[in-house]
Amino acid sequence: DRAMIYLMYGTGIRVSDLIQLDIDDIDLDNGIVLLKKRNNRSISIPEEILTYIKKYVAYSRPFMIDVNNEQALFVNFRGNRITRQGFWKIIKQYTEQSNIRKRITPHTLRHSFAAHLINNGIEIKELQNKLGHSDISTTQFYATLSNKK
């Protein structure tokens, strides 16, 4: 769970990108994830997050997969590719355990990633690239977050 949540928050990828990742889409040696389903781009993974992914791949995933040829990077307790609904339930579970009263969704992690970068002075064009937005107007929504804090 931590590997998935940290990867989403630390890179700003969409939940659809997360659940579509295959084991071959991640380069553990160089800390890069390849998002080939939507717009074919690669993203650097921060070292702390990479540590959790390496632990998951080495120690958890082998015991979770249903068959040895499973391509999905992230799987559920049955050993099948995790679904959007399955990941949403994980987020909901941790939200409740943390006594957070607001509605938190997987997309909240993406918004938080963008808001933190904006609040730390990232240029809007660079944020557009990190989020994989084709149109700058989609990214400009996040600039208003900086003003509202």
Side-chain angles (χ1 to χ4, degrees):
D1 295 353
R2 184 176 290 176
M4 289 187 292
I5 292 168
Y6 278 28
L7 182 61
M8 279 199 64
Y9 172 74
T11 62
I13 65 173
R14 296 171 178 88
V15 69
S16 57
D17 292 325
L18 179 84
I19 64 171
Q20 292 174 355
L21 285 175
D22 288 336
I23 193 75
D24 294 338
D25 294 337
I26 194 150
D27 180 346
L28 296 175
D29 294 330
N30 296 307
I32 296 173
V33 62
L34 177 62
L35 305 177
K36 59 186 177 192
K37 307 290 190 214
R38 182 180 297 263
N39 54 10
N40 205 23
R41 62 191 178 104
S42 60
I43 298 175
S44 294
I45 304 169
E47 189 60 41
E48 179 183 354
I49 297 166
L50 188 60
T51 300
Y52 289 114
I53 295 170
K54 285 178 179 179
K55 286 180 182 178
Y56 164 76
V57 169
Y59 304 113
S60 299
R61 186 179 179 278
F63 297 102
M64 296 172 68
I65 56 174
D66 192 29
V67 292
N68 286 337
N69 63 350
E70 175 60 62
Q71 293 301 302
L73 174 60
F74 294 112
V75 295
N76 61 23
F77 67 95
R78 290 188 180 106
N80 302 314
R81 183 179 298 274
I82 191 142
T83 64
R84 294 175 69 88
Q85 295 82 0
F87 186 71
W88 188 89
K89 286 179 182 179
I90 290 169
I91 296 296
K92 187 175 179 180
Q93 173 191 347
Y94 287 115
T95 300
E96 290 171 359
Q97 285 178 2
S98 302
N99 292 318
I100 297 172
R101 303 278 182 242
K102 288 186 170 192
R103 183 173 184 261
I104 306 294
T105 67
H107 206 72
T108 304
L109 298 173
R110 183 170 164 85
H111 284 306
S112 296
F113 167 80
H116 288 155
L117 290 177
I118 285 285
N119 289 333
N120 285 303
I122 193 171
E123 295 293 324
I124 197 76
K125 191 73 173 162
E126 187 178 348
L127 181 61
Q128 176 188 9
N129 291 334
K130 286 188 178 289
L131 293 173
H133 290 158
S134 56
D135 188 347
I136 192 74
S137 64
T138 307
T139 312
Q140 287 175 330
F141 159 78
Y142 294 104
T144 63
L145 296 177
S146 178
N147 298 331
K148 294 180 182 177
K149 281 196 180 180

